[in-house]
Amino acid sequence: MQPILQFSLHQTKYTTSPSHTSPPLPLKMISSQIQKLNSTKPSSSLLPKPSILSHGNPSLPIYKQQHLPKRQANFRIRAVLGNAMVLSKPSTTETAVKVKATVTVKVTVGGIFSNIGLTIPLDELTEVFGKSFLLELVSSQLDPKTGLEKETIKAYAHKASQKDDEVKYETKFTVPAGFGAVGAVLVENQHHKEIFLQDIVLEGFPNGPVNVECDSWAHSKYDDSKKRIFFANKSYITSETPDGLKRLREQELEDIRGNGEGERKSHERIYDYDTYNDLGFPDITSKLARPVLGGKERPYPRRCRTGRPRSRKDPSSESKSLINYVPRDEVFSEVKQFTFSAKTLKSVLNALLPSIESVFEDPKLGFSYFNSIDSLFDEGVTLPKPKNPGFLRTVLPRLVKTFREGGDELLLFDTPDMIDRDKFSWFKDEEFSRQTLAGLNPFSIQLVTEWPLTSKLDPEIYGPPESMITTELLEKEIGGIMTVEEAMKQKRIFMLDYHDLYLPYVNKVRELEGTTLYGSRTLFFLMENGTLRPLAIELTRPPSGDKPQWKQVFTPSCSDATGCWLWRLAKAHVCAHDSGYHQLVIHWLRTHCCAEPYIIAANRQLSAMHPINRLLRPHFRYTMEINALARESLINAAGIIETTFSPGKYCMELSSVAYDKLWRFDTEALPADLIRRGMAVEDPTARHGLKLAIEDYPFANDGLVLWDAIKEWVGDYVNHYYPEAIKVESDKELQAWWTEVRAKGHEDKKDEPWWPVLKTQENLVHVLTTIIWVTSGHHAAVNFGQYMYGGYFPNRPTIARTNMPTESPSDEEWKLFLKKPELSLLKCFPTQLQATKVMAVLNVLSSHSPDEEYIGEKTEPSWEENPVIKAAFEKFTGRLKELEGIIDERNTDLNLKNRTGAGVVPYELLKPFSAHGVTGKGVPNSISI
């Protein structure tokens, strides 16, 4: 390595950089070398011209003293050697700096180290010649004289080492004096395959290393000639962008912002919007055609555009292809292929479910005995000999556990914790009520604020709007404790209301085979001990043909066996209604679906160096890919949802109606959601500023602690970057992001008056806290308990297949019900095929992968380098650890009967951290399953 020479007009001696100990060169030799360099024709060096030192030849001319131009205002003399002078532009530093760049690449399945593909020999040659990557260092400063960007410093990186799943590439740069801080690195991948860059570290600067977090796929230059832009870890709001990075900041966004044209390729990182026009298969058969969701007729959030060709038979729909495009950085990293839950889910959908279908010869066959249901956990289901022996056992070790002679595999389900603790809990009214507060769907229970109950639907179409649940009936069920009027005043009556949402679809659904539907209302009474007791269930069928409206009320305090079994059947219908609403609205719509526009807009409008982009990025990871997988196999025509839930092919239409009628961004915040449902009122003197209508409401109590912790962390973060309100309002990228969320991502609701505006730090904190809550706490609360509460499907059947025995029964059906009511209940439950498929899917959906990223657990590199943000995040992590302790303490308090007691599953769904597997706890950062 050559020494870095430093000279001055006022010194005749020369020195070397302190880091070098080479002996000084004779003055005559130095002069001779400089003259030799001067005689060399200047090359198109990859280094900027103001440097005498480079990887190749210097690009500055060396002038003889007697021929020095009379006026050199833009230069100053840096060295005098004999009769030679070296000129350079002014700089803030007096010395050039030797910098070592280390690029960390992750070994991926199918990447350049996978030893597959025709390009491997070419890529090996690339490695041999040391040209794996072309790196270019970009200055944060403009040239002070020209006002233009400084020339980048270029070098090729070569492979230096490999250990496990990491490959290190290295190169060295000489950063000239006056270059300024490195603000970005341009990367050109010389391989013929994409490669996953983890980070780039530049070492050798006086103030410490420059870190560049990548966590991104770098496409091959043969796929796209554009270089990738990676900014250093320091964050900047739009107005504070260093001058030397402004153009690149804009270019980076332009490069990934789609324009509504072209079919996307798998290596691309293009973000654009489209409607849900890809759920059907009209080219296969008209029976699989589905309406487009999104637009005036069926309002819906937007998804990521793929640009696939239109269907031949339905030009409004998109055709199918082998690849369902997702922007490359939104795809699961493939670093550890089988540890990602989405990969496991794909295995269930593509391999296990077809095997299950082949086992059941009659897809309509139900369970004849409850013992048959128990056998799924005790004996399992024998699967046919697989084409790839051992594959299912590898990716689904929890489900496929035993290998039998002859090649058959055994599908054996773990007993859900709820049934393991109390086998008959699903049968009890107490548990039925408790789960509205501490079960899988704690988002639907609401306070009854109007009496009597009345439908808001058109009576000309749907029949009389008045409910059959009368004051007299309720007071009888309350047992004389108080009148209905008194109960209303004391806020003691609560309800699950699936009446007006479902009723318009009842007749449509009943035209489908193997399913039925009602509009339903279920009322509960708040007891003195803080628990709920069911009072009544009302089931309604609208007029159909020449049949008038039918409705009936069922109560638990029945005095005869027939009434008791009718109550149990009515509960089964309500549980199926709640399961459908939970999956289609509370889970899919309000988390997965509504979050995708936030992600698309953030990538299109917020630079990678924007602090809000970096705050949100952990909460957006992999959501778009799991949503694409859902469109491909879960919510698509004849997919898992349609074939196993009561609304059948109308499932997604129903979620569109819910979006139109019910969804508002301002009530997605937990406190606002509780207030909207009457489950809380504002109270400045109460903890969290809210007084709960039911004090022992486990989801709300734990959720509010989490909400407050998120809000505090977001507030610290926002106020650091936006110390003044004007900075929020004037941030062009921030405002463009939020405008696009409304105007494009949620286009069908863009004119609603309830959208927040971003004018102050408080506005911004509230919006960001809401988004982070939805992607973390809300999703965790309704996702990771699915197997615990739905794995034993009688507790939460996804479908009701038969009508109530009292609704126009035939003599034979009524006799069968009276003779063996248990069989009537089993016939109402899902078929063997439906139940087994749902159980397998719920098992995977409820599972944490070994490399799950939990909220507050892992700091981002850009946060780590900022002492203020680092301290704020550590405080956030501390609060989450406190929440863990709070939940543990609450779950041992026997006074809290909705979360403790004999055989009761403790409420842990909002405990922030978890081990891997099906645990019933843990709050991941993002919606990644």
Side-chain angles (χ1 to χ4, degrees):
M1 180 181 294
Q2 294 295 324
I4 300 175
L5 301 179
Q6 301 176 347
F7 301 97
S8 169
L9 279 172
H10 305 291
Q11 294 177 321
T12 57
K13 67 178 182 179
Y14 50 87
T15 63
T16 60
S17 172
S19 61
H20 298 278
T21 57
S22 303
L25 296 172
L27 184 60
K28 183 177 180 180
M29 183 182 298
I30 296 173
S31 179
S32 173
Q33 289 179 348
I34 293 178
Q35 289 176 1
K36 182 178 180 181
L37 291 173
N38 189 42
S39 66
T40 305
K41 182 178 179 180
S43 66
S44 56
S45 172
L46 300 182
L47 290 176
K49 293 182 179 179
S51 174
I52 188 172
L53 299 170
S54 71
H55 301 291
N57 299 318
S59 53
L60 271 181
I62 308 295
Y63 293 97
K64 299 286 186 178
Q65 185 175 16
Q66 61 268 32
H67 299 297
L68 183 67
K70 293 182 179 179
R71 185 175 181 83
Q72 289 286 344
N74 294 335
F75 294 85
R76 68 185 176 119
I77 300 174
R78 290 215 32 225
V80 180
L81 299 175
N83 59 354
M85 294 184 181
V86 181
L87 305 180
S88 75
K89 294 184 179 181
S91 66
T92 55
T93 14
E94 293 297 328
T95 61
V97 178
K98 292 283 188 180
V99 173
K100 175 185 175 182
T102 303
V103 182
T104 302
V105 170
K106 282 288 187 180
V107 177
T108 61
V109 178
I112 65 165
F113 303 106
S114 61
N115 295 322
I116 60 174
L118 297 176
T119 65
I120 287 297
L122 297 175
D123 286 335
E124 287 177 349
L125 285 175
T126 298
E127 298 285 347
V128 169
F129 287 108
K131 292 189 175 182
S132 299
F133 298 102
L134 174 62
L135 304 181
E136 299 185 39
L137 306 187
V138 180
S139 174
S140 297
Q141 302 174 0
L142 296 177
D143 188 303
K145 299 302 180 182
T146 66
L148 303 176
E149 294 175 6
K150 295 180 179 180
E151 187 175 344
T152 60
I153 309 174
K154 304 178 183 179
Y156 285 100
H158 62 277
K159 184 177 176 180
S161 64
Q162 180 171 351
K163 183 178 181 181
D164 298 328
D165 63 347
E166 286 189 354
V167 183
K168 300 287 187 182
Y169 288 80
E170 294 179 355
T171 191
K172 294 181 179 178
F173 296 93
T174 299
V175 179
F179 185 74
V182 174
V185 178
L186 307 183
V187 177
E188 184 177 74
N189 177 12
Q190 305 290 307
H191 298 91
H192 286 72
K193 284 193 172 187
E194 64 183 357
I195 199 164
F196 190 81
L197 297 183
Q198 180 171 301
D199 57 43
I200 302 170
V201 180
L202 306 174
E203 297 175 292
F205 293 104
N207 295 327
V210 173
N211 297 303
V212 181
E213 179 197 13
C214 302
D215 274 336
S216 177
W217 292 91
H219 57 260
S220 166
K221 72 174 184 179
Y222 302 102
D223 289 328
D224 187 344
S225 60
K226 290 181 180 177
K227 298 181 178 71
R228 285 297 311 277
I229 303 168
F230 294 104
F231 294 107
N233 288 354
K234 186 173 182 179
S235 300
Y236 297 96
I237 63 174
T238 314
S239 61
E240 296 174 359
T241 311
D243 291 339
L245 302 178
K246 286 182 177 178
R247 182 189 63 82
L248 279 184
R249 183 169 185 153
E250 294 176 1
Q251 180 186 326
E252 174 228 1
L253 291 173
E254 291 174 2
D255 286 347
I256 62 177
R257 192 181 293 147
N259 60 3
E261 299 177 0
E263 182 173 1
R264 300 274 63 89
K265 299 179 179 63
S266 60
H267 69 268
E268 293 179 331
R269 299 167 52 253
I270 305 298
Y271 294 80
D272 210 346
Y273 299 95
D274 208 343
T275 57
Y276 278 73
N277 60 0
D278 64 341
L279 301 180
F281 302 88
D283 289 343
I284 297 177
T285 171
S286 60
K287 292 182 179 179
L288 294 179
R290 295 293 180 268
V292 174
L293 302 184
K296 290 183 179 180
E297 188 175 350
R298 294 181 181 87
Y300 217 57
R302 298 304 191 260
R303 64 169 176 92
C304 184
R305 181 182 176 277
T306 67
R308 291 178 292 193
R310 296 291 173 169
S311 163
R312 289 181 289 104
K313 294 184 179 180
D314 180 10
S316 66
S317 295
E318 193 174 77
S319 64
K320 300 295 181 180
S321 63
L322 294 176
I323 298 176
N324 197 359
Y325 169 78
V326 174
R328 193 63 184 99
D329 283 345
E330 305 298 333
V331 177
F332 281 90
S333 74
E334 303 180 35
V335 173
K336 300 175 183 176
Q337 186 182 28
F338 296 125
T339 63
F340 283 97
S341 296
K343 299 296 180 185
T344 308
L345 180 58
K346 286 183 179 180
S347 299
V348 168
L349 298 175
N350 298 330
L352 181 59
L353 295 191
S355 294
I356 293 174
E357 290 171 355
S358 68
V359 170
F360 299 100
E361 296 180 1
D362 182 1
K364 301 176 185 178
L365 185 64
F367 291 90
S368 300
Y369 306 96
F370 277 95
N371 287 342
S372 302
I373 300 173
D374 295 339
S375 70
L376 294 172
F377 308 100
D378 301 330
E379 301 172 14
V381 177
T382 301
L383 301 175
K385 185 175 181 178
K387 294 180 181 179
N388 185 0
F391 172 73
L392 288 177
R393 287 187 296 114
T394 301
V395 298
L396 300 168
R398 296 188 314 276
L399 295 178
V400 183
K401 297 182 177 179
T402 306
F403 189 78
R404 291 185 172 181
E405 287 187 24
D408 289 344
E409 292 180 323
L410 189 69
L411 177 65
L412 188 64
F413 292 97
D414 290 331
T415 302
D417 191 28
M418 172 191 163
I419 300 302
D420 193 45
R421 288 171 177 264
D422 183 352
K423 185 175 182 178
F424 302 105
S425 57
W426 70 276
F427 215 54
K428 300 174 182 177
D429 288 346
E430 296 88 345
E431 182 64 14
F432 171 64
S433 303
R434 189 190 74 85
Q435 287 183 28
T436 65
L437 301 171
L440 188 55
N441 177 21
F443 281 87
S444 288
I445 189 73
Q446 59 182 289
L447 179 71
V448 175
T449 57
E450 295 179 0
W451 191 262
L453 301 175
T454 305
S455 171
K456 294 179 173 57
L457 297 174
D458 186 350
E460 294 294 323
I461 300 174
Y462 301 105
E466 295 81 14
S467 170
M468 286 187 66
I469 303 177
T470 63
T471 299
E472 293 75 20
L473 184 147
L474 274 197
E475 289 180 349
K476 178 182 176 183
E477 291 301 317
I478 291 173
I481 298 176
M482 63 182 66
T483 65
V484 169
E485 183 180 1
E486 291 170 335
M488 292 284 290
K489 286 181 180 179
Q490 295 181 30
K491 298 182 178 181
R492 303 280 289 271
I493 301 179
F494 297 84
M495 175 171 59
L496 292 179
D497 186 4
Y498 300 129
H499 186 277
D500 284 9
L501 180 66
Y502 280 162
L503 202 63
Y505 280 87
V506 168
N507 289 331
K508 293 180 182 180
V509 168
R510 288 185 172 210
E511 293 176 358
L512 306 176
E513 185 179 4
T515 185
T516 191
L517 192 63
Y518 292 100
S520 69
R521 297 184 181 100
T522 306
L523 267 61
F524 302 87
F525 180 73
L526 179 62
M527 304 292 287
E528 290 292 339
N529 64 1
T531 63
L532 291 176
R533 180 166 67 84
L535 296 174
I537 292 173
E538 180 181 36
L539 300 179
T540 305
R541 182 206 68 202
S544 175
D546 59 353
K547 295 180 180 179
Q549 182 195 71
W550 176 91
K551 63 177 66 170
Q552 187 173 348
V553 178
F554 305 89
T555 60
S557 59
C558 39
S559 57
D560 62 284
T562 301
C564 289
W565 274 103
L566 288 173
W567 168 252
R568 289 164 186 159
L569 279 162
K571 275 202 304 181
H573 280 273
V574 169
C575 287
H577 299 168
D578 190 64
S579 292
Y581 188 80
H582 158 263
Q583 204 65 266
L584 298 171
V585 179
I586 302 298
H587 183 193
W588 163 255
L589 174 67
R590 289 178 60 179
T591 64
H592 288 260
C593 186
C594 286
E596 187 154 340
Y598 312 147
I599 303 169
I600 299 172
N603 282 279
R604 285 166 54 90
Q605 301 297 343
L606 293 175
S607 166
M609 69 163 69
H610 199 292
I612 302 306
N613 184 309
R614 285 173 163 160
L615 173 67
L616 291 175
R617 192 180 305 163
H619 305 287
F620 290 166
R621 284 186 178 125
Y622 309 135
T623 299
M624 291 179 70
E625 186 184 19
I626 201 66
N627 286 0
L629 177 59
R631 300 200 316 272
E632 185 180 310
S633 302
L634 290 173
I635 64 174
N636 59 305
I640 299 300
I641 298 296
E642 283 195 3
T643 57
T644 59
F645 283 76
S646 286
K649 74 175 188 178
Y650 299 104
C651 281
M652 297 310 292
E653 276 190 61
L654 199 146
S655 75
S656 170
V657 173
Y659 176 71
D660 182 32
K661 305 285 187 188
L662 304 174
W663 189 85
R664 297 174 47 147
F665 180 86
D666 61 331
T667 57
E668 289 303 288
L670 177 59
D673 175 71
L674 293 170
I675 292 170
R676 176 184 63 83
R677 292 187 282 121
M679 301 302 293
V681 293
E682 292 187 17
D683 182 352
T685 65
R687 190 180 182 188
H688 314 296
L690 293 178
K691 178 177 176 57
L692 295 177
I694 300 176
E695 291 184 11
D696 183 13
Y697 187 178
F699 159 72
N701 281 310
D702 296 354
L704 286 169
V705 179
L706 179 58
W707 168 272
D708 281 356
I710 295 171
K711 185 176 180 180
E712 183 182 47
W713 151 241
V714 172
D716 291 341
Y717 190 96
V718 165
N719 286 309
H720 175 70
Y721 288 102
Y722 297 93
E724 302 169 347
I726 188 63
K727 288 184 177 290
V728 174
E729 195 169 7
S730 63
D731 190 326
K732 293 181 180 179
E733 286 184 7
L734 183 70
Q735 295 296 333
W737 165 66
W738 190 235
T739 298
E740 188 165 294
V741 165
R742 301 192 313 271
K744 290 190 175 182
H746 288 274
E747 181 179 341
D748 301 327
K749 288 181 172 279
K750 66 179 185 298
D751 297 323
E752 296 287 356
W754 40 255
W755 283 104
V757 294
L758 297 185
K759 289 188 175 182
T760 66
Q761 300 98 318
E762 185 179 0
N763 298 152
L764 180 56
V765 168
H766 185 74
V767 165
L768 297 174
T769 303
T770 300
I771 291 173
I772 293 173
W773 158 255
V774 167
T775 59
S776 58
H778 180 149
H779 180 259
V782 301
N783 182 77
F784 292 101
Q786 290 192 85
Y787 189 73
M788 180 164 57
Y789 290 109
Y792 187 78
F793 66 85
N795 182 61
R796 288 186 65 81
T798 59
I799 188 171
R801 296 189 294 136
T802 59
N803 296 336
M804 290 293 294
T806 51
E807 185 202 340
S808 307
S810 65
D811 290 341
E812 184 178 346
E813 289 171 338
W814 183 250
K815 287 180 181 179
L816 177 63
F817 167 66
L818 292 178
K819 183 178 180 180
K820 199 161 187 178
E822 176 184 320
L823 187 57
S824 294
L825 182 59
L826 287 167
K827 283 187 173 182
C828 186
F829 284 155
T831 66
Q832 294 184 37
L833 176 60
Q834 289 171 330
T836 309
K837 288 166 64 175
V838 169
M839 289 167 67
V841 172
L842 294 186
N843 187 285
V844 175
L845 292 180
S846 303
S847 180
H848 293 292
S849 91
D851 46 5
E852 190 84 85
E853 294 183 8
Y854 297 98
I855 188 168
E857 184 179 50
K858 177 186 173 184
T859 182
E860 294 295 299
S862 60
W863 308 344
E864 187 73 25
E865 294 184 23
N866 186 315
V868 174
I869 301 302
K870 181 181 179 181
F873 184 77
E874 288 173 350
K875 182 172 65 171
F876 177 50
T877 301
R879 290 202 62 179
L880 296 179
K881 290 178 180 178
E882 288 178 10
L883 175 56
E884 292 253 317
I886 290 171
I887 292 175
D888 286 339
E889 183 178 354
R890 288 172 174 173
N891 286 336
T892 60
D893 187 347
L894 292 178
N895 293 316
L896 302 177
K897 300 186 183 302
N898 290 321
R899 62 193 308 155
T900 60
V904 173
V905 176
Y907 190 76
E908 297 184 311
L909 286 170
L910 290 175
K911 286 190 76 170
F913 312 112
S914 171
H916 69 272
V918 179
T919 64
K921 57 186 172 184
V923 181
N925 268 325
S926 64
I927 305 165
S928 59
I929 189 64

